[in-house]
């Protein structure tokens, strides 16, 4: 069993990592739109639009953990498959993106919509990578990692019913 101090450390790491993923996704979204030609857009985003990054970053900080919380992503950790992790992350980032678009629309502020679309995709991918890495690190720290998905049925059959094993990968 993990000591209380370690449990708090994992929760703090998860929280701060999620915030970092959101900020990285928003910053990358702006940089991609400014420096890369994206299909189905008229042109690159003018470089003066980077001024919107500060407001967008504050909104991401305010909504990132809240949207993840409402989709159960701050519940006690339990083993999940990649798809089992991706579904709530995708839903949370989509709802967060809709909230950002709604804020800018209702506040009558100009904001590039393509940045929000890129943000949703990048945020979901970064969060997925972060959560899978954190899940693997937690399983490794607990010392109960099943080395291969092929061995999982054999390993699970030999364990007591109440054992808590994570599958890495």
């Amino acid at each position: 069993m993990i000591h209380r101090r370690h449990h708090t450390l994992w929760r703090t790491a998860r929280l701060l990592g999620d915030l970092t993923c959101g900020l990285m996704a928003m910053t990358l979204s702006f940089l991609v739109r400014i420096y890369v030609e994206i299909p189905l857009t008229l042109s690159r985003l003018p470089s003066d639009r980077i001024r919107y990054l500060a407001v967008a970053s504050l909104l991401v900080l305010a909504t990132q953990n809240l949207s993840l919380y409402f989709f159960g992503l701050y519940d006690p950790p339990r083993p999940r498959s990649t798809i089992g992790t991706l579904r709530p992350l995708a839903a949370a980032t989509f709802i967060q993106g809709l909230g950002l678009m709604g804020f800018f629309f209702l506040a009558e502020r100009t904001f590039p919509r393509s940045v929000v679309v890129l943000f949703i995709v990048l945020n979901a991918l970064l969060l997925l990578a972060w959560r899978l890495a954190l899940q693997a690190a937690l399983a490794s720290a607990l010392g109960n990692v099943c080395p291969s998905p092929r061995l999982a049925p054999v390993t699970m059959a030999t364990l007591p019913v109440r054992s808590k094993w994570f599958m890495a990968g």
Side-chain angles (χ1 to χ4, degrees):
M1 180 165 215
I2 295 180
H3 295 287
R4 190 175 211 48
R5 187 183 71 174
H6 289 95
H7 182 68
T8 303
L9 178 67
W10 285 110
R11 289 175 54 178
T12 304
R14 186 172 45 178
L15 182 87
L16 293 176
D18 291 344
L19 287 174
T20 303
C21 287
L23 291 176
M24 285 175 43
M26 185 55 77
T27 303
L28 284 173
S29 299
F30 270 99
L31 293 177
V32 165
R33 280 298 290 128
I34 289 172
Y35 294 111
V36 178
E37 286 273 342
I38 304 286
L40 303 176
T41 58
L42 295 175
S43 64
R44 293 183 306 188
L45 201 62
S47 59
D48 68 329
R49 300 296 169 101
I50 198 78
R51 69 179 184 265
Y52 297 127
L53 180 60
V55 171
S57 295
L58 289 175
L59 288 172
V60 166
L61 287 174
T63 59
Q64 179 85 338
N65 293 337
L66 188 65
S67 64
L68 294 174
Y69 173 78
F70 283 126
F71 282 89
L73 291 162
Y74 287 116
D75 292 344
R78 62 182 190 269
R80 296 182 191 214
S81 65
T82 304
I83 295 297
T85 303
L86 180 60
R87 276 190 212 122
L89 283 175
T93 55
F94 181 74
I95 295 299
Q96 182 183 14
L98 285 178
L100 292 174
M101 283 187 198
F103 171 80
F104 287 115
F105 177 76
L106 293 175
E108 296 181 9
R109 295 178 180 233
T110 57
F111 191 82
R113 293 179 305 265
S114 59
V115 170
V116 177
V117 172
L118 276 173
F119 167 74
I120 292 169
V121 172
L122 290 174
N123 195 23
L125 292 175
L126 287 171
L127 283 170
L128 177 65
W130 166 245
R131 289 297 182 107
L132 290 177
L134 196 62
Q135 182 176 338
L138 178 61
S140 177
L142 291 173
N144 51 2
V145 177
C146 182
S148 167
R150 288 183 314 191
L151 296 176
V154 175
T155 306
M156 294 304 285
T158 61
L159 293 175
V161 177
R162 294 186 157 262
S163 182
K164 296 179 182 178
W165 277 60
F166 291 97
M167 186 182 318

